Amino acid sequence: MRRLLRSPLLWTLLSSVAVLVGVTAWLLTDRATSRGDALKTGALAGGAIAALYGLWLNDRRRRTEEDRHEIERSRISDERFAKSIELLGNDADQVRVGAMHSLAGLARTRPEYRQTVLDVLCAYLRRPFEHPKFDPDADWGDGERKSAAERERLVRRAAERLIRDILPHSGTTGPTFSLNLSDARLDKLGLLGRRVGWFGADRCEVLTYLDLTDTQLSGKFLLENVTIHGEFVLTRASFERKVSLDNTVVETAVDFSEATFAEPPSLEGAKFAAGSTLPVVSGDSG
């Protein structure tokens, strides 16, 4: 009985009948209105109550269906994420690249996964990696070991490109995402025209380049005890927080004047190739 009394349908029917009777009785007080017209108008008023209940019920069903679809999408996304993580350990390089692209696609369609996917790709780049370009003095033996190292190098390049693709563009609004590349071996990392939050790459090694052209770095930028064998490009890069390049070695000339710094960067123990320029800090007179 209590369940029946709580039923929206019961109260809708009672309200509809009450409106029907009330409107009809009110109209019958006017002698100019016939009984038929009064009854018809009352029925329309009562029917409107029932129609409103139908609209509410349809909206409730729609929201329930949307919630069900969202739960299903979340379940599928979780399964896709777990499967992609598993495939990152596959022996075949093409499978690992496919897993990375799957993760990147998930990050694009499900924004709540973006930071997690970036963390995974950065973690992949922190995996132990040997290559003749990084380790020229090592004994590489037969050509198969070199070939395997080169295939892995291409996989890692795919990870570097996807990190850039997932990051938001400079000048846009919205959440910022962090990159933790400490202890990584990087080949060609270009964050061109992207917006990055916290960036940490302590003790990493860069072979070809670290390109920050048009990059907006809104968080701390920590590049300490790093060796960059190739280029460190800072064209129109914007550093909005603390920058530390302590004990960093760059083997090619760096033009710091092309970047803007909100505060003087720390360069203790840093070494740059001949021809490098010193940083220009926002607000400096010269």
Side-chain angles (χ1 to χ4, degrees):
M1 185 62 181
R2 291 181 179 178
R3 185 175 181 181
L4 179 62
L5 291 176
R6 290 196 300 266
S7 171
L9 178 59
L10 173 63
W11 288 105
T12 300
L13 292 175
L14 292 177
S15 299
S16 180
V17 171
V19 170
L20 168 63
V21 174
V23 171
T24 302
W26 177 68
L27 290 175
L28 286 176
T29 60
D30 184 359
R31 295 181 179 181
T33 304
S34 65
R35 291 183 178 180
D37 291 340
L39 184 60
K40 184 185 297 184
T41 304
L44 290 174
I49 300 297
L52 288 175
Y53 171 74
L55 291 174
W56 172 80
L57 188 61
N58 286 335
D59 182 67
R60 183 180 179 184
R61 288 174 178 171
R62 178 186 60 79
R63 286 183 291 176
T64 300
E65 188 68 14
E66 288 178 352
D67 291 342
R68 187 183 67 80
H69 282 304
E70 182 61 27
I71 292 173
E72 183 66 14
R73 285 182 62 197
S74 297
R75 183 188 65 80
I76 294 174
S77 297
D78 290 343
E79 291 178 353
R80 178 180 173 184
F81 177 79
K83 184 62 176 178
S84 298
I85 294 297
E86 180 182 347
L87 292 176
L88 281 178
N90 194 281
D91 292 336
D93 53 291
Q94 66 270 26
V95 174
R96 297 197 297 278
V97 172
M100 291 178 183
H101 279 278
S102 178
L103 287 171
L106 181 62
R108 285 189 286 267
T109 57
R110 306 285 291 184
E112 65 270 23
Y113 276 93
R114 286 185 183 176
Q115 184 61 66
T116 302
V117 171
L118 287 171
D119 290 343
V120 170
L121 293 175
C122 289
Y124 188 90
L125 293 173
R126 290 197 300 270
R127 292 175 53 178
F129 172 59
E130 294 182 345
H131 189 276
K133 293 288 186 180
F134 283 99
D135 308 284
D137 297 331
D139 181 12
W140 287 94
D142 56 17
E144 176 56 32
R145 187 182 173 195
K146 286 185 177 181
S147 297
E150 184 61 27
R151 290 195 299 271
E152 176 61 16
R153 183 186 184 188
L154 296 177
V155 174
R156 296 168 73 88
R157 282 185 182 178
E160 292 165 346
R161 289 194 301 271
L162 290 173
I163 287 174
R164 177 200 63 206
D165 293 343
I166 294 171
L167 290 169
H169 290 272
S170 298
T172 59
T173 58
T176 57
F177 302 99
S178 302
L179 296 180
N180 183 1
L181 292 163
S182 298
D183 299 300
R185 273 189 159 179
L186 306 176
D187 188 358
K188 297 180 176 181
L189 181 62
L191 304 180
L192 295 79
R194 292 306 194 267
R195 177 165 52 87
V196 186
W198 180 87
F199 183 97
D202 299 342
R203 301 173 303 280
C204 79
E205 184 178 6
V206 181
L207 178 61
T208 307
Y209 60 71
L210 174 58
D211 193 346
L212 302 180
T213 298
D214 294 314
T215 302
Q216 177 185 359
L217 296 126
S218 59
K220 292 181 179 180
F221 183 84
L222 306 177
L223 201 69
E224 301 176 347
N225 301 291
V226 172
T227 300
I228 301 178
H229 302 289
E231 295 182 308
F232 185 28
V233 184
L234 299 172
T235 306
R236 296 181 300 278
S238 174
F239 297 87
E240 301 175 0
R241 295 284 302 278
K242 174 185 176 181
V243 175
S244 178
L245 301 173
D246 294 350
N247 301 310
T248 287
V249 176
V250 184
E251 296 178 359
T252 61
V254 184
D255 190 357
F256 285 98
S257 66
E258 296 194 358
T260 57
F261 298 86
E263 57 183 87
S266 177
L267 303 176
E268 184 178 352
K271 298 179 181 179
F272 308 107
S276 298
T277 61
L278 294 177
V280 174
V281 180
S282 300
D284 282 359
S285 59

